Amino acid sequence: MRPYDPTGLTRTKYFFFTGKGGVGKTSVACATAVTLADSGKNVMLISTDPASNLQDVFGIELDNQGTPIPEVPNLTVVNLDPIEAAQAYKEKVIGPYKGILPDAAIASMEEQLSGSCTVEIAAFNEFSHYLTDEGIKDKYDHVIFDTAPTGHTLRMLQLPSAWSSFISENTHGASCLGQLSGLENNRQMYATAVATLADRAMTTVVLVARPEKTPLEEAGRAAAELRELGVNNQTMIVNGVMEPDPAGDETALSLYRKQREALRNIPALLADIPAYSIPLRAYNVYGVKNIRRLLTDDGWDEAGSAAQISGVYPLKALIDEVYLTRKKVIFTMGKGGVGKTTLAAAIASGLAAKGAKVHLTTTDPAHHLQFLLSDGGNLKVSHIDEEAEVAKYREEVLAKARESMGDADLAYIEEDLRSPCTQEIAVFRAFADIVEQATDDQTVVIDTAPTGHTLLLLDATQSYHKQIQKSQGDIPESVKRLLPRLRNADETEVVIVTLPEATPVHEALRLTEDLARAGIHSKWWVINSSLYLTDTKHLLLKAKAQSEVGWINRVAAISQGNTVLIKWHGQDLKGKELLAL
């Protein structure tokens, strides 16, 4: 891969940066904007990322109108707040129905509009203005967006039925997006925005990934989804590539080999997309100086005086506590790629080693096969086929919907069933059946937890159905019993898994807030893959390890000292190796 240099590429008017949380898309978008502005272009940078820290990055107060950056004369930055936009959108949609529909119906609608898809559609409403405004188009050479809409949201916007009012009258038990009729006046603007996205002469979509298996797979899925919609002008940037280490430091060599293995097995969906690389940097990309350095400076800062961490424990402390307190249901929860499956396996193995009877279940086939080798004795391991569960749920919902809906409305339901929330519900129904097996004699450990939004969606929908007796997706008894059980802190432990970096910590915080809305408490946090605990002598990695300290201490404060810190490992662990975490 060639080094990434925005000035050397064929440049379009609009750039959209997309990728999993924590891959560095905000840093790359900022570096692109500053580099192009430094080259004499007039640039506008717009962020709609809920985890955006643009104000910290540029060290200046930002708003949703546009703020010039003094140190970069040709750059204007806009920081849109998608959470605030989603709240305004939510009120606009629900307001007319208050006092007309029953309270249970309002609660159901409110929860339908509380998920991540609604935040995304509200954000799309905000930045569609910047994508279609002729004055902005004429004034700026480039308009750069720090985040891009998913294929699911774009497909939903193109469905005529998405703009109807039928959603207010029908609830199929898994709606993620809810109705769009509150934004009917903007329908033409959306159509223009979607067309601009697909115009390869106008727009480039930049897929940002790290040289790791999960982010690359996510980039491949995004590329395929966007391609289906005619968005074909795509570029990939692999951020954080480790250079070969001549000093032979074991940690550096292990990281290098792990990255090269991931890049050798890059998904076929990405094979034809132009790819560029950015080297691994030790410093945080804050301030214009470091933004400029990201694409130009191969050096690194010295680690300096060693900051100290406090309030962290080995995984054994968590296992000891859940064993002594006789927790019966244990979830590991976190964004993809943080290691929650491995942590679930380690916790299950640790409890089984203490004599507890444990049932570990996972949706990850690779991990299932790996840990099945130690199945037996006190430990039972099972695998839930996610694709099969989604297919089964999809057919159940559609069969019910066909009884009362026409083709246009069915198209909406079919797209809604591709949303993250409905997929989570489909898999979670299978998990609920396994949670039923948690008894005084058996502990259940699950490597995926429901978000608070999904639980409240099920809860609100259930209440709504009791009144109107119209359900296209039946809620099993095991799911109905689940929420009260998860709210019982004496029985259930939700373990939050994250990484010692800004975006994963911010995302984990949003997960805990989501759970708190559903009345579910989380005590323990696990910070995975910490370079701080390695004995690396590599200067860049030592400096990077020191940059983790602030995030580790912040999590320790949030969890009130109930934080587990786990060392970065160059290889996947299995069997008894897990117990040494």
Side-chain angles (χ1 to χ4, degrees):
M1 289 182 291
R2 288 171 290 171
Y4 176 56
D5 177 10
T7 63
L9 301 178
T10 301
R11 297 188 299 274
T12 53
K13 170 75 69 174
Y14 303 105
F15 286 88
F16 278 85
F17 286 81
T18 186
K20 282 181 65 67
V23 296
K25 64 178 180 291
T26 295
S27 298
V28 177
C30 289
T32 301
V34 170
T35 300
L36 292 175
D38 285 346
S39 73
K41 303 295 184 181
N42 287 321
V43 180
M44 174 175 274
L45 171 64
I46 303 166
S47 175
T48 58
D49 188 342
S52 174
N53 54 352
L54 279 186
Q55 298 197 143
D56 297 326
V57 171
F58 285 101
I60 189 173
E61 286 295 316
L62 302 171
D63 57 30
N64 62 356
Q65 300 301 311
T67 303
I69 305 300
E71 296 168 89
V72 191
N74 296 322
L75 177 61
T76 299
V77 178
V78 177
N79 198 27
L80 301 176
D81 186 340
I83 304 298
E84 185 179 306
Q87 188 58 41
Y89 162 61
K90 184 175 173 179
E91 184 56 37
K92 186 173 183 178
V93 172
I94 296 173
Y97 297 97
K98 289 182 177 177
I100 299 174
L101 293 178
D103 290 345
I106 296 297
S108 181
M109 290 175 67
E110 285 180 339
E111 195 50 52
Q112 287 181 43
L113 292 166
S114 295
S116 58
C117 292
T118 300
V119 173
E120 187 175 309
I121 193 64
F124 191 69
N125 180 54
E126 293 289 310
F127 69 57
S128 289
H129 162 70
Y130 292 93
L131 192 60
T132 58
D133 186 278
E134 288 296 324
I136 291 173
K137 181 179 177 182
D138 293 340
K139 181 177 180 180
Y140 294 97
D141 297 302
H142 303 290
V143 181
I144 297 172
F145 296 90
D146 177 25
T147 190
T150 64
H152 164 62
T153 293
L154 292 174
R155 284 191 304 268
M156 188 73 83
L157 288 167
Q158 294 177 65
L159 288 171
S161 56
W163 303 94
S164 74
S165 61
F166 89 93
I167 296 298
S168 65
E169 301 159 3
N170 295 273
T171 303
H172 64 277
S175 180
C176 176
L177 195 57
Q179 61 174 286
L180 294 172
S181 56
L183 298 176
E184 173 69 31
N185 293 338
N186 297 333
R187 188 174 175 182
Q188 184 55 50
M189 181 175 71
Y190 289 168
T192 303
V194 171
T196 302
L197 272 170
D199 186 346
R200 64 184 309 120
M202 293 293 294
T203 302
T204 301
V205 174
V206 183
L207 308 163
V208 184
R210 281 186 173 176
E212 300 166 13
K213 179 182 177 183
T214 302
L216 287 169
E217 288 177 345
E218 180 70 19
R221 283 191 291 270
E225 272 202 332
L226 292 169
R227 206 172 286 145
E228 286 176 8
L229 293 162
V231 182
N232 294 308
N233 193 17
Q234 301 177 12
T235 294
M236 183 173 69
I237 295 174
V238 181
N239 184 34
V241 177
M242 180 73 184
E243 297 300 322
D245 177 35
D249 179 81
E250 188 56 40
T251 300
L253 285 171
S254 294
L255 177 58
Y256 172 73
R257 291 172 186 143
K258 192 171 186 177
Q259 289 189 355
R260 285 298 176 272
E261 178 68 17
L263 292 172
R264 274 195 300 270
N265 294 292
I266 196 166
L269 293 166
L270 299 172
D272 296 331
I273 296 176
Y276 302 88
S277 66
I278 297 175
L280 181 67
R281 305 299 191 197
Y283 47 81
N284 291 312
V285 184
Y286 286 90
V288 173
K289 176 185 174 183
N290 277 354
I291 294 172
R292 286 190 171 112
R293 291 177 67 192
L294 182 65
L295 302 183
T296 60
D297 185 1
D298 289 331
W300 55 81
D301 295 330
E302 294 292 337
S305 58
Q308 298 298 309
I309 61 173
S310 59
V312 298
Y313 297 92
L315 184 60
K316 180 180 180 298
L318 187 160
I319 294 172
D320 287 346
E321 181 174 287
V322 296
Y323 177 75
L324 291 172
T325 55
R326 299 180 60 80
K327 295 292 170 66
K328 294 290 112 183
V329 182
I330 302 168
F331 286 99
T332 54
M333 185 174 185
K335 292 293 186 180
V338 297
K340 59 182 180 291
T341 301
T342 301
L343 262 296
I347 292 169
S349 299
L351 292 172
K354 287 178 171 293
K357 187 177 179 183
V358 182
H359 182 178
L360 167 67
T361 191
T362 175
T363 57
D364 188 329
H367 280 84
H368 166 66
L369 294 173
Q370 179 176 316
F371 298 122
L372 189 61
L373 298 174
S374 59
D375 194 3
N378 293 331
L379 180 60
K380 175 185 177 182
V381 182
S382 66
H383 168 239
I384 292 174
D385 187 329
E386 185 170 4
E387 290 187 6
E389 292 297 331
V390 170
K392 183 171 71 174
Y393 180 65
R394 173 186 171 86
E395 186 48 43
E396 177 188 320
V397 171
L398 289 175
K400 288 269 188 176
R402 290 186 190 106
E403 297 173 4
S404 59
M405 292 183 178
D407 290 344
D409 288 349
L410 279 174
Y412 183 99
I413 300 298
E414 287 176 344
E415 182 52 47
D416 195 38
L417 286 166
R418 298 172 72 169
S419 76
C421 297
T422 51
Q423 291 176 359
E424 187 176 300
I425 288 171
V427 174
F428 193 62
R429 297 191 330 161
F431 278 138
D433 291 337
I434 291 173
V435 171
E436 290 277 284
Q437 301 176 30
T439 63
D440 289 341
D441 298 324
Q442 179 170 262
T443 299
V444 171
V445 180
I446 301 177
D447 85 327
T448 296
T451 64
H453 167 60
T454 295
L455 292 169
L456 286 172
L457 181 63
L458 289 165
D459 198 37
T461 305
Q462 179 185 334
S463 300
Y464 189 15
H465 291 164
K466 285 178 181 176
Q467 284 203 19
I468 66 174
Q469 296 299 304
K470 184 184 286 185
S471 170
Q472 276 78 40
D474 292 330
I475 302 175
E477 289 300 318
S478 59
V479 173
K480 294 177 183 178
R481 289 191 291 267
L482 188 59
L483 186 54
R485 199 166 190 183
L486 294 184
R487 284 171 170 160
N488 182 0
D490 292 334
E491 183 179 17
T492 299
E493 188 78 46
V494 177
V495 179
I496 305 296
V497 187
T498 188
L499 301 174
E501 301 169 16
T503 300
V505 170
H506 288 149
E507 289 181 338
L509 278 170
R510 284 200 297 276
L511 289 176
T512 61
E513 291 165 0
D514 209 16
L515 288 172
R517 287 195 312 117
I520 299 172
H521 172 69
S522 57
K523 177 181 178 180
W524 283 96
W525 284 55
V526 174
I527 302 174
N528 201 12
S529 298
S530 172
L531 287 168
Y532 182 87
L533 292 183
T534 68
D535 60 353
T536 180
K537 303 299 187 294
H538 189 280
L539 292 179
L540 186 150
L541 295 187
K542 278 183 69 176
K544 191 166 180 60
Q546 278 298 305
S547 73
E548 296 178 354
V549 172
W551 297 109
I552 294 170
N553 287 336
R554 181 173 177 181
V555 169
I558 292 167
S559 68
Q560 298 180 339
N562 298 297
T563 296
V564 170
L565 186 62
I566 293 177
K567 183 171 71 172
W568 180 88
H569 289 273
Q571 296 178 334
D572 291 333
L573 302 178
K574 54 186 176 182
K576 293 183 179 179
E577 296 171 348
L578 292 167
L579 300 181
L581 290 177

